[in-house]
Amino acid sequence: MTRSEKLASWVADKHKNQLIKCTVLPYFDHLNKVALLAKGATEWGYETGLCHDLLEDTNTTSADLNAALLNFGYPEAIAELITFNVIELTDVFTKTAYPNLSKKERKKMESKRLQTLSPAAQTVKYADLIDNIAWMMKYDLKHAAKYLKKKATLLLSLNRGNEELRQQAMDIIRQELLKV
């Protein structure tokens, strides 16, 4: 088993009881799609994509992630880089952390924070948006137009990552907006 296969198995186990909203599909399917989209677009994109929701959706800590990566054979510098990218992709302005802020205020602050992400983390964010848009168009058409417009605005300011993947996300948004 390769180190990336070991990581994928570990991540799948961490998310084992989670399903993609409105489906019976394991949440790992979303993580794997994001990882595959990010794989060729940025260095260590596959690993970061697999882990991008790990810290906010499981009881895994950044130290746990780093230790697992080292255990699976990733060199220390690479394990630290992947862990850093995952930390960057973890929501900061949550309801728990900022209970006195409205959802709108938290989302605005989170959007500003996303603009500061490293190019690698922004690239994984593009991949995440692409898969989330596909979900939205299949399961929540009622809110799709508003969602797509917000994500189009966000992408205008997330311009540090892989330009091809960013353009793909923008093209998908444009195409999907024509349908709603």
Side-chain angles (χ1 to χ4, degrees):
M1 200 182 241
T2 67
R3 62 188 180 192
S4 61
E5 290 170 334
K6 290 175 187 175
L7 177 63
S9 178
W10 182 77
V11 170
D13 186 58
K14 291 289 184 179
H15 291 275
K16 70 180 168 205
N17 295 320
Q18 298 172 0
L19 299 176
I20 296 173
K21 186 177 175 183
C22 300
T23 76
V24 294
L25 299 172
Y27 193 73
F28 180 78
D29 285 10
H30 164 69
L31 303 172
N32 194 51
K33 286 177 187 174
V34 171
L36 291 171
L37 281 168
K39 182 178 184 175
T42 191
E43 195 170 35
W44 308 109
Y46 180 77
E47 289 82 355
T48 303
L50 280 178
C51 300
H52 79 275
D53 283 336
L54 195 62
L55 304 182
E56 64 189 53
D57 291 348
T58 73
N59 62 0
T60 307
T61 66
S62 57
D64 295 336
L65 172 58
N66 194 65
L69 290 163
L70 292 171
N71 187 49
F72 301 142
Y74 289 90
E76 187 173 338
I78 301 306
E80 288 176 8
L81 177 65
I82 294 166
T83 301
F84 174 77
N85 288 337
V86 172
I87 291 168
E88 282 190 292
L89 288 161
T90 301
D91 286 347
V92 170
F93 297 100
T94 62
K95 187 175 185 175
T96 304
Y98 293 87
N100 296 328
L101 294 179
S102 69
K103 183 177 181 180
K104 185 176 181 179
E105 290 170 315
R106 290 192 317 272
K107 291 288 184 185
K108 184 176 180 180
M109 292 174 78
E110 194 63 35
S111 290
K112 279 193 161 211
R113 187 189 72 78
L114 292 174
Q115 295 172 34
T116 69
L117 299 183
S118 66
Q122 281 194 9
T123 299
V124 173
K125 187 64 178 173
Y126 305 156
D128 186 39
L129 287 173
I130 289 169
D131 192 54
N132 287 342
I133 290 165
W135 179 92
M136 180 66 71
M137 296 307 294
K138 188 170 184 178
Y139 296 102
D140 194 4
L141 275 177
K142 179 180 175 183
H143 300 103
K146 183 177 179 181
Y147 176 84
L148 291 168
K149 289 173 187 173
K150 282 184 178 181
K151 297 312 173 187
T153 300
L154 176 63
L155 275 173
L156 290 175
S157 61
L158 297 185
N159 56 9
R160 298 180 65 208
N162 177 281
E163 187 53 38
E164 287 179 30
L165 197 59
R166 180 176 179 257
Q167 190 59 54
Q168 183 181 345
M170 292 175 108
D171 290 346
I172 290 169
I173 289 172
R174 268 190 228 102
Q175 292 166 5
E176 299 300 353
L177 274 169
L178 295 173
K179 297 177 186 177
V180 293

